[in-house]
Amino acid sequence: MVTQSLCDTLYHLHSILTKKKVLDSITILQMDEPLVLECGHLGINSTTFRSLCPYATERFDTLERCPDNNAHLDMLSAVLILLNPDDARFWVYRRRKMKDVVMDTAQLRAELWLAGHPVKLKPKSGEPFQHCRWLLQQNPHLVTSVIVETQLQMCLRASSEYAHNYYSWNYRLWLFRNVGSLIDYEHELKWSAGWIKMHVSEFSGMNYRFNLLISPVYNMAGHSESPGTMKLPESPVMAQDGSARKKLGQAIVSEIIWICELVRFYPDHEALWGYLKMLFLFCDTHKYEYVKRCKPQISAVQKIKNKHSDMFWDTVIIGNLFGIGL
Amino acid sequence: MKVLALSLWNKESEKAVNLLSIQDVTSFSYFQRSTVTEFLTFTSQFMADRTAPGERKSVKEKEYICHSVTTTTHKIGGVMICDEEYPQRVAFTFMLKVIEDFLVKHPKGSWSGAPFTDADIRKQFDAAQDPTQIDHLMKINTDLEETKVILYDTIEKVLERGEKLEDIVARSENLSATSKQFYKTAKSTNSCCVIL
């Protein structure tokens, strides 16, 4: 009886995940019904959730050993990537199935839609982003600006719901570097500024914005896949266009002035100090002399005394740039 | 950076009476919003009751902070619940400004016991989501530096001797049976953010 009930819930859940065009959120709740769908929001009974995962996993493991159960395995894997997104087996199964299949746009969108559901329940999981990246890499001819926008929205959601989300920021940066021609650059710059203003502890967002700022001059394609660090580009392919370099310098100076203002307003947030240091180190590495125009702002920041400012001024380079020491 | 709730309280009697309440629960999932709303109201009442005239308190509970203040002249309490990124100084300055504005628009004689709704204060609340937008307020209340804020690590540290949070939750008129049950279950499973 219980098994039949779980089986029915499994099919019902699969139907919701694949057929519903609007699914704004997925929440685990204490309630009487196994599933509830209200105004595009899905609620899953917490007891049902705890029972469904091992039941579906056992069925998946059993059926995987038999050759002709593709339809059931497809259904089970679609649900299991939501119930247990950190278990790579179910994602690998789906990729193996799609590897030799020629997808069309509708199929790609359907699979991306499915892969986006776990983010609504467990935003810190990395597997959904890895799966989406694989899908886009496998089908570059099918990627459109609409698809890229849905991926950016997925990143935004995950970053909003789980702070310092390495996976979502890493994927966002990958999108920018690999399908950046389908992204509105100016809109993305403006968006990232708004994000930093409202998330002053989030260094990942600042690192992302830094990469946006320098991208017109530095070709980042093929660069290291570790954007979450403070590592500066080691071997950039720099544009030979002097005007582009000058424009970048001016953009960096404007950025320094803006971040100095934010540091004055939020002096206790280490991420802001870290970003300011990153900008100065970049200027010094690439000999942007007109960074000295920031002297009034940096002098104002010099008045702030806390553990973060001490670490900031520790960087001799910054002192050398302005003749300001400890 | 998020302000979840702002409320004003009449502190002339022993139990604080709600004058105004604004909340933003859009960052919570759809099904949790009603429970979150109730707990925001409960926490605001709890803090308003335990902040004496002239006192300022900040209580940290996981990633949220509840700031409360009660004025000495009019005995109006202000409670603001934000995330931990939100600057403390801005929170207190903003609450005192809102109390001032509230008294101008709704003088004491006009209080009937029912909470007010005020579109202008709602607009100020929305603007306060970005502290830099209300930066000009920082220049108004210069005596803020001299008043100490009492800091608490958890909401339980605000309890008086002999009080138990479970009992206060069970007795609360602000919480539905569902919310009370949610609190019990979350507490027993040691879930995070039991109150918020």
Side-chain angles (χ1 to χ4, degrees), chain B residues 13-190:
Chain B
S13 50
E14 199 184 318
K15 194 170 160 65
V17 175
N18 186 235
L19 291 169
L20 177 128
S21 192
I22 304 170
Q23 295 176 348
D24 181 353
V25 294
T26 50
S27 57
F28 293 90
S29 87
Y30 175 81
F31 294 104
Q32 291 175 329
R33 284 173 197 170
S34 58
T35 304
V36 170
T37 300
E38 288 180 11
F39 273 109
L40 287 172
T41 307
F42 167 82
T43 306
S44 300
Q45 171 97 59
F46 177 88
M47 288 304 300
D49 284 336
R50 286 159 183 77
T51 307
E55 274 188 338
R56 292 165 208 249
K57 291 182 178 173
S58 291
V59 179
K60 190 173 183 318
E61 187 71 34
K62 306 291 179 186
E63 70 259 38
Y64 300 103
I65 300 188
C66 181
H67 305 289
S68 66
V69 61
T70 302
T71 61
T72 40
T73 33
H74 300 102
K75 295 204 178 127
I76 294 186
V79 180
M80 192 155 149
I81 303 176
C82 337
D83 67 10
E84 55 188 352
E85 271 187 334
Y86 203 90
Q88 183 193 61
R89 191 158 180 253
V90 174
F92 280 109
T93 310
F94 178 65
M95 275 196 283
L96 291 170
K97 171 76 170 49
V98 166
I99 289 171
E100 240 180 71
D101 290 349
F102 179 84
L103 281 169
V104 166
K105 285 182 79 177
H106 311 284
K108 271 196 173 174
S110 67
W111 299 356
S112 62
F116 289 90
T117 51
D118 191 310
D120 289 334
I121 294 180
R122 175 83 220 197
K123 273 189 198 158
Q124 288 185 54
F125 173 86
D126 292 338
Q129 295 292 342
D130 177 0
T132 58
Q133 281 203 42
I134 53 171
D135 183 25
H136 57 283
L137 295 178
M138 303 294 285
K139 298 171 182 67
I140 293 172
N141 201 339
T142 52
D143 65 359
L144 198 65
E145 297 286 0
E146 292 141 23
T147 312
K148 276 194 183 155
V149 178
I150 309 170
L151 298 172
Y152 297 90
D153 290 337
T154 66
I155 200 162
E156 268 142 341
K157 298 249 171 95
V158 186
L159 292 168
E160 285 159 26
R161 187 191 281 271
E163 277 189 322
K164 280 188 183 170
L165 193 56
E166 292 84 359
D167 296 340
I168 298 170
V169 167
R171 282 199 309 265
S172 171
E173 292 159 3
N174 292 320
L175 296 173
S176 62
T178 309
S179 294
K180 289 177 186 177
Q181 183 56 42
F182 169 79
Y183 173 81
K184 264 191 194 167
T185 311
K187 186 94 178 143
S188 66
T189 57
N190 207 28

Side-chain angles (χ1 to χ4, degrees), chain A residues 154-196:
Chain A
M154 184 170 116
C155 293
L156 170 61
R157 188 193 185 106
S159 303
S160 301
E161 297 202 7
Y162 184 72
H164 316 294
N165 193 327
Y166 169 80
Y167 297 113
S168 65
W169 284 108
N170 195 344
Y171 182 53
R172 195 179 189 106
L173 190 57
W174 180 90
L175 285 168
F176 180 72
R177 286 176 177 170
N178 291 274
V179 291
S181 58
L182 296 172
I183 296 176
D184 182 338
Y185 177 69
E186 290 302 325
H187 177 266
E188 196 67 0
L189 266 184
K190 197 174 169 188
W191 172 85
S192 62
W195 175 271
I196 288 171

Side-chain angles (χ1 to χ4, degrees), chain A residues 210 214 218 232-233 248 252 277-288:
Chain A
F210 175 75
I214 67 174
Y218 293 92
L232 294 168
L248 172 60
I252 296 285
K277 188 168 165 177
M278 188 180 195
L279 292 165
F280 276 116
L281 289 176
F282 180 82
C283 288
D284 186 65
T285 305
H286 299 286
K287 310 286 181 239
Y288 280 118

Side-chain angles (χ1 to χ4, degrees), chain A residues 297-312:
Chain A
Q297 286 77 22
I298 206 70
S299 299
V301 161
Q302 197 190 8
K303 292 178 187 150
I304 301 169
K305 299 289 177 205
N306 59 28
K307 62 180 179 184
H308 306 307
S309 66
D310 288 345
M311 281 168 54
F312 176 75

Side-chain angles (χ1 to χ4, degrees), chain A residues 32-289:
Chain A
D32 297 329
E33 305 85 354
L35 299 173
V36 65
L37 187 64
E38 202 173 294
C39 304
H41 300 275
L42 173 64
I44 306 176
N45 180 308
S46 52
T47 310
T48 302
F49 185 85
R50 279 195 297 273
S51 308
L52 205 54
C53 189
Y55 168 74
T57 305
E58 198 199 330
R59 284 202 64 190
F60 182 90
D61 290 340
T62 306
L63 292 174
E64 214 186 7
R65 292 192 277 270
C66 309
D68 298 314
N69 282 294
N70 288 336
H72 287 112
L73 283 168
D74 288 351
M75 185 275 289
L76 286 166
S77 63
V79 176
L80 279 164
I81 59 175
L82 171 71
L83 299 179
N84 191 3
D86 292 329
D87 191 333
R89 282 183 293 165
F90 314 121
W91 298 98
V92 167
Y93 167 79
R94 296 191 76 80
R95 288 198 282 273
R96 212 165 46 221
K97 284 237 42 208
M98 285 181 287
K99 198 171 171 221
D100 300 316
V101 167
V102 176
M103 280 183 125
D104 60 31
T105 307
Q107 286 168 320
L108 175 63
R109 290 183 75 167
E111 187 65 18
L112 287 169
W113 170 244
L114 199 62
H117 292 324
V119 170
K120 294 163 190 166
L121 195 57
K122 200 171 179 187
K124 61 181 179 179
S125 179
E127 293 292 340
F129 296 104
Q130 190 170 330
H131 189 71
C132 290
R133 188 191 313 220
W134 181 89
L135 285 167
L136 299 188
Q137 282 172 323
Q138 287 288 111
N139 303 281
H141 54 289
L142 296 178
V143 180
T144 62
S145 53
V146 171
I147 283 176
V148 171
E149 181 56 33
T150 61
Q151 297 304 288
L152 292 175
Q153 288 301 319
M154 184 170 116
C155 293
L156 170 61
R157 188 193 185 106
S159 303
S160 301
E161 297 202 7
Y162 184 72
H164 316 294
N165 193 327
Y166 169 80
Y167 297 113
S168 65
W169 284 108
N170 195 344
Y171 182 53
R172 195 179 189 106
L173 190 57
W174 180 90
L175 285 168
F176 180 72
R177 286 176 177 170
N178 291 274
V179 291
S181 58
L182 296 172
I183 296 176
D184 182 338
Y185 177 69
E186 290 302 325
H187 177 266
E188 196 67 0
L189 266 184
K190 197 174 169 188
W191 172 85
S192 62
W195 175 271
I196 288 171
K197 222 177 154 194
M198 300 303 288
H199 299 86
V200 292
S201 307
E202 178 87 72
F203 186 77
S204 304
M206 294 168 198
N207 182 72
Y208 175 73
R209 181 172 166 81
F210 175 75
N211 279 276
L212 288 181
L213 282 173
I214 67 174
S215 65
V217 172
Y218 293 92
N219 179 0
M220 305 297 283
H223 183 57
S224 159
E225 286 279 288
S226 55
T229 66
M230 282 177 62
K231 194 174 168 188
L232 294 168
E234 283 173 352
S235 306
V237 177
M238 194 164 75
Q240 296 305 308
D241 180 359
S243 69
R245 194 173 178 278
K246 186 179 175 185
K247 205 173 165 191
L248 172 60
Q250 287 164 347
I252 296 285
V253 165
S254 299
E255 188 78 354
I256 289 173
I257 291 170
W258 175 54
I259 295 299
C260 283
E261 279 303 308
L262 280 184
V263 164
R264 285 179 59 207
F265 203 84
Y266 303 106
D268 296 322
H269 289 274
E270 187 180 3
L272 284 173
W273 287 99
Y275 186 38
L276 193 59
K277 188 168 165 177
M278 188 180 195
L279 292 165
F280 276 116
L281 289 176
F282 180 82
C283 288
D284 186 65
T285 305
H286 299 286
K287 310 286 181 239
Y288 280 118
E289 285 290 315

